Amino acid sequence: MPSVRRHAGVQSLRGVLRAIFLIAASTSPLGASAQNNAQGSCNGTVYLTFDTGHMGVAPLVAEVLQRQRVQVTFFAADERTQSGGSSLDEQWAPWWRARAAEGHEFASHTLHHVYWRADEGAGLKVRPSTGPQAGKDLSMTAEQYCAEIDGAANRLRAMTGKEPLPLFRAPGGKTSPRLLEAAQSCGYMHVGWTPAGFLGDELPSERYANRMLLEQALRTIRDGDILLAHLGIWSRKDPWAPAVLEPLIKGLKERGLCFRTLREHPVYGTKALNRK
């Protein structure tokens, strides 16, 4: 496999990211004990994450999370929205700042929602789904792909005043060893989701009704699962979040499961990064 850039600055960058990450961990407005279950009463832990989307359900999602006292991790890309702008533009800056004040965590979903298509030569073949080159097949070097990850993280940092986690999620979860090595070279670890954590909000509602998705999630989700939902899916006719999100949270709480952000995850969280 052709090598990606390696230099002393990478180790320095990782050290800086981890130091900021550890400092921020102690300043979160709501600690783990302020979440849905009292400390020590959990029968297990799940990690709810949201990727951006058309943002049409974003206000509702925020209301549910606040009402249920659940903190999550948002993976953000600058995607087209129902309001005519994009999810990381100034129109949405107050929404993101409010989520930071509530103690949620943030990470990159690549600035232009860049899908990996294949390894190509010494680089990557990709296709952005948003931005000026949306829908085009492009070739990217490791440095260019890192710039996509950095782009979303930088936008989040500027809007929220909070340091994003040194994590990213590739659109569609599509990766290759070369792509992961490229991201690692600029200080990022990839986070997907667990099989039971795929909540199905991007599936066609004609075939996957909300009630079916809720029942399946409540039946299959277990301790340690990373859950995936979106802040709006264009293709789904019957939106998932209004019907499923709050019943799902309540149902998992009733089973004794606690909700945590990825900052507290045993692999992706603060302690794990500090050991590296």
Side-chain angles (χ1 to χ4, degrees):
M1 176 184 300
S3 62
V4 296
R5 58 178 176 150
R6 297 178 183 273
H7 51 76
V10 170
Q11 297 300 326
S12 176
L13 171 62
R14 291 177 185 165
V16 171
L17 285 172
R18 287 175 191 142
I20 294 172
F21 191 35
L22 289 166
I23 292 170
S26 65
T27 61
S28 177
L30 295 174
S33 61
Q35 295 230 11
N36 55 289
N37 296 75
Q39 190 170 7
S41 67
C42 299
N43 294 327
T45 302
V46 293
Y47 305 87
L48 179 56
T49 70
F50 283 89
D51 293 354
T52 41
H54 62 53
M55 303 297 283
V57 298
L60 178 144
V61 168
E63 290 172 9
V64 170
L65 297 179
Q66 188 172 32
R67 183 162 54 246
Q68 293 296 326
R69 295 180 63 79
V70 164
Q71 292 174 322
V72 305
T73 305
F74 292 100
F75 287 87
D78 195 32
E79 300 188 66
R80 181 170 60 96
T81 64
Q82 287 182 337
S83 57
S86 59
S87 51
L88 294 178
D89 65 15
E90 284 304 311
Q91 176 184 352
W92 284 98
W95 191 89
W96 291 111
R97 282 195 294 271
R99 305 293 76 75
E102 293 164 357
H104 299 287
E105 298 293 344
F106 309 96
S108 176
H109 196 31
T110 70
L111 184 62
H112 295 120
H113 204 249
V114 177
Y115 284 94
W116 173 84
R117 303 278 286 171
D119 293 338
E120 183 178 63
L124 303 165
K125 182 178 180 181
V126 300
R127 180 182 294 174
S129 68
T130 188
Q133 295 181 301
K136 296 180 180 179
D137 286 333
L138 307 173
S139 294
M140 280 190 177
T141 63
E143 289 80 2
Q144 289 170 324
Y145 191 78
C146 280
E148 278 289 336
I149 304 176
D150 284 336
N154 291 340
R155 195 80 64 88
L156 285 166
R157 183 182 297 110
M159 288 194 299
T160 66
K162 184 173 185 176
E163 186 64 26
L165 305 180
L167 307 172
F168 85 107
R169 175 173 287 156
K174 298 181 183 298
T175 67
S176 71
R178 184 182 298 173
L179 181 144
L180 297 178
E181 187 179 4
Q184 187 178 15
S185 76
C186 50
Y188 293 95
M189 184 185 298
H190 183 260
V191 180
W193 53 88
T194 52
F198 178 73
L199 298 176
D201 65 337
E202 58 193 294
L203 298 174
S205 53
E206 301 92 321
R207 294 175 56 196
Y208 300 91
N210 286 323
R211 182 173 180 176
M212 177 195 307
L213 294 175
L214 174 60
E215 291 174 351
Q216 176 176 296
L218 290 174
R219 184 174 63 253
T220 60
I221 289 171
R222 297 290 183 270
D223 174 36
D225 279 333
I226 297 175
L227 317 184
L228 166 68
H230 298 78
L231 297 176
I233 294 293
W234 290 95
S235 60
R236 188 170 176 87
K237 295 179 181 178
D238 186 11
W240 175 91
V244 179
L245 179 58
E246 195 153 24
L248 175 63
I249 291 173
K250 288 180 176 179
L252 294 177
K253 284 182 180 180
E254 289 171 0
R255 288 176 45 198
L257 293 172
C258 294
F259 290 81
R260 301 286 183 256
T261 71
L262 290 176
R263 183 182 292 279
E264 300 169 272
H265 192 276
V267 174
Y268 304 114
T270 305
K271 292 180 181 179
L273 287 171
N274 193 40
R275 289 196 299 267
K276 293 184 181 293

